[in-house]
Amino acid sequence: MQLRKVTAASAAVLALALSATACGSGDKDDSGSSGGGKIKIGIKFDQPGLGLKKPDGTYAGFDVDVATYVAKQLGYAPDKIEWVETKSADRENALARGDVKFIAATYSITDERKAKVDFAGPYLLAHQDLLVKTGSDIAKGTDLNGKKLCSVTGSTSAQNVQKSIAPKAQLKELSSYSECIAGLQSGAVDAVTTDDSILAGFASQEQYKGKFKLAGLKLSNENYGVGVKKGDTATVDKINKALEKMVSDGSWQKAVEANFGPADYKNEPAPKIGVIVPNAS
Ligand code: GLU
């Protein structure tokens, strides 16, 4: 009966392990504030200068700094933050499911998205642009018609291409900008389009220096907001106060210089909370 005993003991251990997981993971908490006084925040993991998971496992970028500042104002020290990757197409669902408390991931405030999520901010104004190889003759939006263009599923950038910028471009939609950049380098695509802030961050990477150039077009206005779950107006109010403080105490400017300086990205001045710069169409 030796075997039976062992089996019973294993079952007991397994049961214990399962109950420990159920109590401790915080997965059931739909607010994005997991157990142990932690907060889950959505960012990008592959956008240098904005949201980047570095090889040493730490995180850096303007969105990371904004999120860290906001979290602190909400009562969460940096060591209480759990970073979660929220790719462009996943953001609305991540908030609806309560995977994260808020998202700071180059997330433009749009009416379409406002039907599904709420936004604090804006905290940065960027513009859609093109990244091409040095020497490319693509210089304006309409040059893209008939060309292979890469952007990301669920982004305003991909939508704008089809709607207005170059409806006849061969648009390839991938799941992240780093994949598009790899395509530009290999020659699989002729251009990458998204926010100038993002493109400048990639172009300044050591391995791409001198290889790519931004076209310098302001194809849209992208008002970056902090996304929260629809209806969570208390959190929106708190985040707006935090963002105002971040600008007034100089932390916003410091974060801009630290993160955009190396990319030589000329950002717009700090936006006013609640004031969206609209698009032409
Ligand atoms: N800011 C744009 C957007 O929210 C493009 C960048 C992105 O995909 O995160 O869609």
Side-chain angles (χ1 to χ4, degrees):
M1 287 297 105
Q2 191 67 13
L3 185 65
R4 252 189 103 124
K5 257 189 207 156
V6 171
T7 311
S10 317
V13 169
L14 184 65
L16 256 176
L18 284 173
S19 65
T21 309
C23 300
S25 77
D27 284 349
K28 283 191 182 161
D29 184 344
D30 76 345
S31 70
S33 320
S34 51
K38 288 212 161 194
I39 186 168
K40 290 183 185 168
I41 302 175
I43 53 166
K44 296 292 184 73
F45 276 15
D46 66 342
Q47 293 180 192
L50 285 150
L52 185 70
K53 183 175 183 177
K54 297 198 287 184
D56 66 1
T58 61
Y59 298 85
F62 185 68
D63 281 340
V64 171
D65 287 353
V66 167
T68 304
Y69 188 98
V70 166
K72 190 126 189 228
Q73 299 301 308
L74 298 181
Y76 299 89
D79 65 332
K80 299 291 179 203
I81 299 173
E82 203 178 303
W83 300 107
V84 176
E85 183 176 32
T86 46
K87 292 188 171 179
S88 296
D90 300 337
R91 294 174 292 200
E92 288 84 20
N93 285 338
L95 287 171
R97 281 193 306 258
D99 292 352
V100 292
K101 183 77 173 172
F102 66 81
I103 289 181
T106 59
Y107 198 10
S108 299
I109 302 172
T110 67
D111 287 341
E112 208 180 325
R113 289 172 180 164
K114 277 201 300 201
K116 296 181 186 157
V117 304
D118 282 341
F119 285 103
Y123 63 91
L124 190 78
L125 176 63
H127 305 281
Q128 187 168 353
D129 200 354
L130 308 177
L131 189 72
V132 294
K133 274 192 169 162
T134 310
S136 164
D137 52 10
I138 297 172
K140 54 186 192 304
T142 47
D143 292 344
L144 295 166
N145 284 317
K147 294 271 166 52
K148 293 193 207 93
L149 174 64
C150 191
S151 199
V152 165
T153 314
S155 68
T156 53
S157 327
Q159 265 187 8
N160 293 340
V161 169
Q162 287 167 321
K163 260 199 323 210
S164 52
I165 300 168
K168 295 209 175 76
Q170 296 174 43
L171 181 64
K172 208 178 168 77
E173 288 182 67
L174 301 180
S175 70
S176 72
Y177 297 104
S178 53
E179 293 169 61
C180 283
I181 298 293
L184 183 61
Q185 193 181 25
S186 73
V189 296
D190 303 305
V192 178
T193 187
T194 188
D195 307 337
D196 47 11
S197 49
I198 299 172
L199 297 173
F202 280 111
S204 71
Q205 296 299 289
E206 204 48 51
Q207 70 268 38
Y208 301 131
K209 278 213 173 117
K211 292 191 176 157
F212 300 151
K213 62 174 183 193
L214 273 86
L217 309 167
K218 291 190 169 155
L219 298 167
S220 72
N221 293 317
E222 304 295 326
N223 300 267
Y224 287 4
V226 177
V228 306
K229 190 174 197 162
K230 184 96 194 133
D232 188 0
T233 48
T235 302
V236 170
D237 291 346
K238 282 186 212 160
I239 295 177
N240 278 335
K241 288 211 178 74
L243 293 173
E244 263 162 5
K245 188 167 175 212
M246 187 177 184
V247 173
S248 65
D249 74 7
S251 305
W252 186 91
Q253 189 55 34
K254 258 201 205 154
V256 156
E257 283 159 24
N259 295 296
F260 297 140
D264 208 17
Y265 175 64
K266 304 278 176 287
N267 62 284
E268 300 272 6
K272 266 184 110 70
I273 298 300
V275 180
I276 307 292
V277 181
N279 278 298
S281 53

